[in-house]
């Protein structure tokens, strides 16, 4: 969808100041360079104006004004995305929802939370756990907003057992590009009432509407947790063990894989070691249960499977402090890699039974192309995070080599019947790969949905499809 957009004028600034207040409108030199990129974007796109509304009314009036003036609007949370989904490719207005950060309700009777989009994931998790409740989705970036999680259908480490963000969203309040406010779903566990607009908005990356309120499903908090660290001689051997664990009837809350290089980077970044550091590759698992005997039986069964498949050992963490330290190491992987310099990421997802084949392919690429390529990810649900590091290469050579490697990785994913993104979304960085992977009929349907919501193409233009 190619559109001609108007530039922001002083009169537009004045009108948006009337709506939100002068302190909530940033223009010209007041706009931080941070708004021109997200966590991994190698390119920069400066917005003409940044607004930080505090209510659905303000969002509605901002969008109505921009719709009338033909000014593009890019919704944005805390900017932790990895695909350029919240950067203003065409200038215009960046609408930041971080000031809409209230937890409106925690309904213990119905196991529901109602939140604004700017609430941080870590804040929601902490507050519900104080009430002995549990919000299951657990994306690695805890400073991401819930609105951003919903917009990308974030997954995370517990997706293997509990599912992804979509599985915990019961309803939404959202504002359409012309300023109309809609509500979808509600505080109900089942809904077969026509087309699911809730599911359509989840994962749409701000291209269809601006989400202003979210109704989330909660669970009772698990009573006990057990974590395991399993070292292997190689990454292929580690991930080939995963289907055998699952087929043995043990579904962990989390099942992660990673290479030694990533572990060493995290240890240096955090300034502390890991319980085991001599192996080439690792699995790390977490199990939830209601009692120690149940978890001990689980440990015995999983340990037997791992040792039969070549694991060096199966290390167990019983205490909450040891488990927290283990998962803090895992949570630091991306930050540790970013601290090493430029990198780009592939977020493909394949069937769990295909992970070993995919890892073997990427290891072959690593040797063939001479690029530092490291992997970690969610072994239980087939979501691989493959990072191509710049290392000592000059930037132009690295960019050219990275493009070639990424083309081959995405082609391999398609060959294995995988998909372009498991949880980070498409943004603009992966848009070409998505288009190559979909049939013309599917692309046409997706674009017709975009047009139905946003006939003028003003909302987050240039993203997804």
């Amino acid at each position: 969808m190619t559109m001609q957009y108007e530039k922001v004028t002083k009169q537009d600034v004045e009108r948006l100041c009337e709506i939100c207040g002068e302190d909530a409108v940033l223009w010209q030199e007041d706009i931080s360079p941070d708004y021109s990129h997200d966590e991994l974007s190698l390119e920069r796109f400066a917005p003409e104006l940044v607004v930080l509304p505090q209510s659905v009314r303000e969002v509605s009036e901002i969008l109505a004004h921009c719709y009338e003036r033909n000014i593009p609007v890019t919704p944005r949370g805390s900017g932790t995305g990895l695909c350029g989904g919240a950067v203003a490719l065409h200038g215009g207005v960046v609408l930041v929802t971080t000031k809409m950060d209230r937890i409106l309700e925690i309904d213990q009777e119905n196991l529901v939370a109602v939140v604004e989009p700017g609430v941080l994931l870590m804040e929601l998790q902490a507050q519900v756990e104080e009430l002995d409740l549990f919000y299951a989705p657990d994306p690695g970036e805890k400073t991401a907003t819930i609105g951003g999680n919903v917009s990308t259908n974030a997954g995370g480490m517990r997706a293997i057992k509990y599912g992804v963000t979509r599985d915990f969203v019961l309803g939404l309040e959202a504002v359409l590009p012309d300023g109309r406010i809609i509500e979808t779903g509600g505080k109900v566990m089942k809904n077969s009432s026509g087309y699911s607009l809730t599911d359509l908005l989840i994962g749409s990356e701000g291209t269809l509407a601006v989400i202003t309120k979210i109704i989330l499903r909660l669970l009772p908090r698990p009573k006990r947790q057990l974590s395991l660290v399993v070292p292997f001689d190689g990454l292929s051997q580690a991930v080939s063990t995963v289907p055998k664990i699952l087929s043995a009837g043990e579904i962990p809350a989390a099942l992660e894989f990673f290479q030694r290089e990533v572990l060493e980077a995290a240890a240096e970044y955090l300034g502390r070691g890991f319980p085991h550091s001599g192996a080439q590759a690792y699995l790390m698992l977490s199990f939830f249960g209601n009692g120690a005997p149940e978890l001990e039986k689980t440990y015995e069964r999983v340990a037997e499977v791992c040792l039969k498949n070549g694991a060096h050992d199966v290390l167990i963490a019983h205490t909450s402090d040891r488990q927290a330290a283990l998962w803090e190491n895992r949570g630091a992987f991306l930050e540790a890699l970013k601290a090493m310099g430029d990198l780009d990421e592939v977020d493909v997802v394949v069937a769990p039974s295909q992970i070993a084949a995919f890892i073997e392919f990427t290891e072959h690429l690593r040797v063939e192309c001479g690029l530092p390529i490291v992997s970690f990810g969610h072994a239980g649900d087939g979501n691989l995070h493959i990072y191509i590091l710049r290392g000592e290469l000059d930037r132009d050579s690295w960019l050219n080599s990275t493009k070639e490697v990424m083309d081959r990785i995405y082609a391999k994913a398609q060959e294995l019947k995988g998909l372009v993104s498991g949880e980070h979304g498409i943004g603009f960085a992966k848009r070409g790969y998505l288009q190559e992977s979909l049939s013309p009929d599917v692309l046409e349907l997706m674009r017709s949905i975009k047009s139905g919501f946003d006939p003028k193409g003003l909302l987050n233009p240039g993203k997804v499809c």
Side-chain angles (χ1 to χ4, degrees):
M1 186 181 295
T2 302
M3 297 287 180
Q4 296 296 317
Y5 302 115
E6 295 295 328
K7 293 291 185 181
V8 172
T9 66
K10 186 177 181 182
Q11 288 72 32
D12 295 315
V13 177
E14 291 170 352
R15 173 60 185 139
L16 296 186
C17 286
E18 290 176 4
I19 295 170
C20 299
E22 292 184 7
D23 291 344
V25 179
L26 307 177
W27 193 34
Q28 296 177 340
E29 66 273 4
D30 292 332
I31 299 175
S32 167
D34 289 343
Y35 289 116
S36 68
H37 64 90
D38 65 8
E39 286 292 311
L40 278 193
S41 293
L42 297 171
E43 299 177 72
R44 300 291 186 264
F45 300 91
E48 299 169 67
L49 194 68
V50 174
V51 293
L52 296 95
Q54 297 188 64
S55 70
V56 64
R57 178 196 63 80
E58 292 179 0
V59 173
S60 174
E61 292 186 18
I62 291 166
L63 290 182
H65 175 82
C66 291
Y67 192 82
E68 182 180 350
R69 285 276 295 116
N70 216 49
I71 295 171
V73 178
T74 302
R76 183 182 175 99
S78 54
T80 60
L82 302 175
C83 302
V87 296
L89 297 184
H90 298 275
V93 173
V94 166
L95 189 156
V96 182
T97 60
T98 52
K99 286 190 175 183
M100 300 177 68
D101 60 355
R102 295 178 299 162
I103 296 177
L104 300 171
E105 180 184 8
I106 298 177
D107 183 343
Q108 294 177 263
E109 184 177 12
N110 291 303
L111 296 180
V112 163
V114 182
V115 306
E116 292 183 323
V119 171
L120 300 184
L121 172 63
M122 62 183 182
E123 293 175 351
L124 174 66
Q125 289 177 331
Q127 288 208 28
V128 301
E129 287 177 10
E130 287 180 4
L131 300 172
D132 212 25
L133 298 173
F134 181 59
Y135 178 63
D138 192 37
E141 180 51 78
K142 302 300 186 289
T143 61
T145 62
I146 298 297
N149 287 171
V150 173
S151 293
T152 58
N153 190 30
M157 291 177 274
R158 296 198 286 244
I160 179 177
K161 184 176 180 70
Y162 294 104
V164 295
T165 298
R166 182 187 306 279
D167 300 302
F168 287 83
V169 177
L170 300 174
L172 298 170
E173 174 188 80
V175 184
L176 299 176
D178 61 4
R180 287 177 293 162
I181 301 169
I182 63 170
E183 294 183 356
T184 71
K187 279 190 181 183
V188 292
M189 294 299 121
K190 298 170 71 176
N191 185 353
S192 195
S193 308
Y195 298 141
S196 178
L197 297 182
T198 302
D199 282 310
L200 195 55
L201 292 176
I202 297 167
S204 64
E205 301 185 44
T207 61
L208 304 181
V210 177
I211 294 168
T212 51
K213 187 164 62 179
I214 305 155
I215 304 172
L216 297 168
R217 180 167 69 96
L218 304 176
L219 298 173
R221 187 179 182 183
K223 302 301 181 187
R224 289 182 178 271
Q225 181 177 355
L226 175 73
S227 294
L228 307 177
V229 175
V230 190
F232 288 87
D233 283 329
L235 198 52
S236 180
Q237 184 185 41
V239 296
S240 65
T241 305
V242 172
K244 297 171 184 176
I245 294 172
L246 301 180
S247 63
E250 299 298 338
I251 304 298
L255 205 177
E256 300 292 293
F257 75 92
F258 47 91
Q259 293 173 281
R260 184 172 67 182
E261 293 95 327
V262 182
L263 183 61
E264 290 172 344
E268 182 176 349
Y269 178 78
L270 293 172
R272 67 162 184 263
F274 194 72
H276 192 290
S277 59
Q280 292 298 315
Y282 294 84
L283 294 180
M284 194 158 78
L285 305 90
S286 179
F287 293 90
F288 292 154
N290 292 319
E294 171 191 350
L295 290 176
E296 286 172 5
K297 289 179 181 178
T298 296
Y299 162 73
E300 291 171 0
R301 287 192 290 266
V302 171
E304 182 181 2
V305 171
C306 292
L307 292 171
K308 280 184 177 178
N309 286 275
H312 294 184
D313 199 351
V314 179
L315 310 176
I316 183 170
H318 283 291
T319 68
S320 58
D321 287 346
R322 288 182 179 179
Q323 294 186 71
L326 286 179
W327 292 101
E328 185 180 353
N329 271 81
R330 167 60 184 88
F333 284 175
L334 179 55
E335 292 302 318
L337 292 180
K338 288 193 296 185
M340 296 169 66
D342 288 337
L343 74 159
D344 207 345
E345 186 219 31
V346 177
D347 169 41
V348 297
V349 59
V350 297
S353 61
Q354 298 286 6
I355 300 176
F358 206 106
I359 288 296
E360 289 175 5
F361 175 77
T362 58
E363 289 294 282
H364 171 75
L365 276 183
R366 178 182 186 177
V367 174
E368 178 187 339
C369 300
L371 278 175
I373 300 174
V374 296
S375 302
F376 64 86
H378 315 308
D381 57 33
N383 188 192
L384 299 92
H385 301 315
I386 301 163
Y387 291 89
I388 307 165
L389 310 181
R390 177 176 163 187
E392 301 299 322
L393 288 176
D394 68 84
R395 196 169 190 273
D396 289 341
S397 297
W398 174 69
L399 287 173
N400 291 333
S401 298
T402 295
K403 175 65 167 62
E404 177 187 349
V405 167
M406 291 182 77
D407 288 348
R408 293 176 65 179
I409 287 175
Y410 282 110
K412 185 66 175 181
Q414 192 167 357
E415 176 190 326
L416 296 175
K417 308 299 182 186
L419 298 175
V420 169
S421 175
E423 60 184 2
H424 292 163
I426 301 300
F428 76 87
K430 314 303 182 190
R431 190 181 182 196
Y433 295 115
L434 180 70
Q435 292 174 348
E436 290 173 4
S437 71
L438 299 177
S439 72
D441 289 340
V442 169
L443 277 172
E444 182 182 353
L445 281 171
M446 291 178 70
R447 288 167 178 160
S448 67
I449 290 169
K450 166 69 172 172
S451 180
F453 274 85
D454 185 16
K456 296 176 74 171
L458 295 175
L459 204 53
N460 210 5
K463 311 294 172 56
V464 187
C465 64

